[in-house]
Amino acid sequence: MISAEKIPNNVNLSSNKRLQRALEHWQPKYIQWWRDMGPQGFQDYHQVYVRTAISVDPEGWAHFEYVKLPEYRWGIFLADPTPDRRIGFGDFFGQPVWHEVPGEFRNQLRRLIVTQGDTEPASVEQQRLLGQRCPSLYDLRNLFQVNVEEGRHLWAMVYLLHSYFGRDGRDEAEELLERQSGNRDKPRILEAFNEPIDNWLDFFMFTMFTDRDGKSQLMSLSESSLDPLSRTTRFMLTEEAHHMFVGETGIARILERTCELMKQAGYSEDVRKIGGIDIPTIQKHLNQWFSLSLDLHGGEVSSNAASYFANGLKGRAKEDTFDDHVVRDAYYNMEFFEEGRPVTKEVLMRNAMNEVLRDWYVGDCAAGVARWNKILERHGMSDRLRLPDRKFNRHIGMYSGFYFDPNGVPLSKEEFEKRKFEWLPAPTDSEYLLSIMAEPVYEPGKFANYIAPPRRGINQLPINFEYVRTEQ
Ligand SMILES: [Fe+2]
Ligand SMILES: [Fe+2]
């Protein structure tokens, strides 16, 4: 049964009969999906120490308890309204924001919401086997925290579909549970969400780079003129921050441990011999997930992006830091690739909005990589991690169909194929990673050999707290 107690919310669910009815129909399918496609092997006999959002204020937001995953209370939350909020960009700049969906933008808005919504369950599906290879109970708990929140993000998008898009919205909500990551016939909409994530190096890189694309997208949607979309995504951003924390600190802890092992091995030895993850392997996974996540921002020149901006549906990250919010006759200097060499050309700024968001994203990623390099520096290592050139390994946009090395130097297809495993994870790398992760670590306070313990535990609890416990 649908009740406000089981579904924490600040959208007046208890007095909204229409939403209750829609959810009554959808929620059992969601739970079935979670059981079938969510964390495998951790549905019935485990209790996980997770955070549940029970309200949007800081206290309600940080409510921790042990729960069995299928009993998690997925809720519906909108960030507090901004009084007299005005449209912040595009052709309707300065007008009052919308509380209903304008008919002329209904299809575009639905498409934006469905595309965002589709990524949420997709990531849960991609990560469903990781629990069986976890490096510690602390990490296992973080994985499940990310998973339940991605589930909640799906709820957030379904809330919008159910509340503002009538019959079509209800159909779309069902389809969000029907597409499946990596499925040949019914794949998820975006390519990065069809790639398997079967080891923890991939998981941490995914939460670092692909969840950060989520942050880009949510930031631009939180600028939307459709106020419920803006408020929903604003609250999602608070959760997204934790996902990136999991990714960034996960890699930081691997680097920490790799440095220790390198020292033990007398610097020159291959750390794989003593069960560590070598820096070149880390770099290859960084290359992979960064380039896939660049693709998620869409084509460089995009009339869709221009129209989303003009209509006030999707803005830029931190729109209020720009001077010009209408952007009618501004230009963006874009690097094209023509006849084998780069050529800079002016593009109407509105058509370059994907690239503008990608610029913000690349900057945010670079700051994270700089923090990782501090660890290498502190250990006296000369190795450094770096972001590959944005032309490298692209499958969407104007660089797709061309081949570049991580420095952005053009290559022939043959040369790229011959050398690609110098830059991207090779089957032997994946085999190695699976071999060191074959035995999960379920003992409180213990960590797999390839990763250092975190600095502190969750919610001020000790590192050796039993973050996931097995029911007797
Ligand atoms: Fe999400
Ligand atoms: Fe996320």
Side-chain angles (χ1 to χ4, degrees), residues 38 52 91 120 146 149 170 210 240-241 255 273 312 409 438 442 464:
T52 307
D91 292 344
E120 315 288 359
V146 170
E149 285 175 352
R170 290 195 296 277
T210 308
E240 211 56 62
L255 286 171
K273 284 189 188 144
V409 176
Y442 292 141
N464 64 4

Side-chain angles (χ1 to χ4, degrees), residues 120 146 150 153 211 240 243:
E120 315 288 359
V146 170
E150 300 304 7
H153 291 176
D211 280 85
E240 211 56 62
H243 306 176

Side-chain angles (χ1 to χ4, degrees), residues 247-263:
E248 183 173 333
T249 57
I251 298 296
R253 289 162 49 215
I254 289 177
L255 286 171
E256 200 63 64
R257 182 64 182 149
T258 296
C259 290
E260 283 169 19
L261 289 170
M262 281 169 87
K263 282 183 204 168

Side-chain angles (χ1 to χ4, degrees), residues 89-92 98 105 107-113 115 217 220-221 223-225 302-316 350 353-354:
F89 61 94
D91 292 344
F92 310 108
W98 314 321
F105 304 136
N107 288 343
Q108 283 189 320
L109 280 163
R110 194 182 63 204
R111 176 143 133 223
L112 282 169
I113 291 167
T115 307
Q217 304 302 334
S220 62
L221 291 173
E223 303 288 341
S224 182
S225 311
S302 162
S303 55
N304 274 338
S307 137
Y308 292 154
F309 186 87
N311 297 336
L313 312 183
K314 186 179 173 190
R316 291 167 290 190
R350 281 187 173 188
M353 285 303 172
N354 285 342

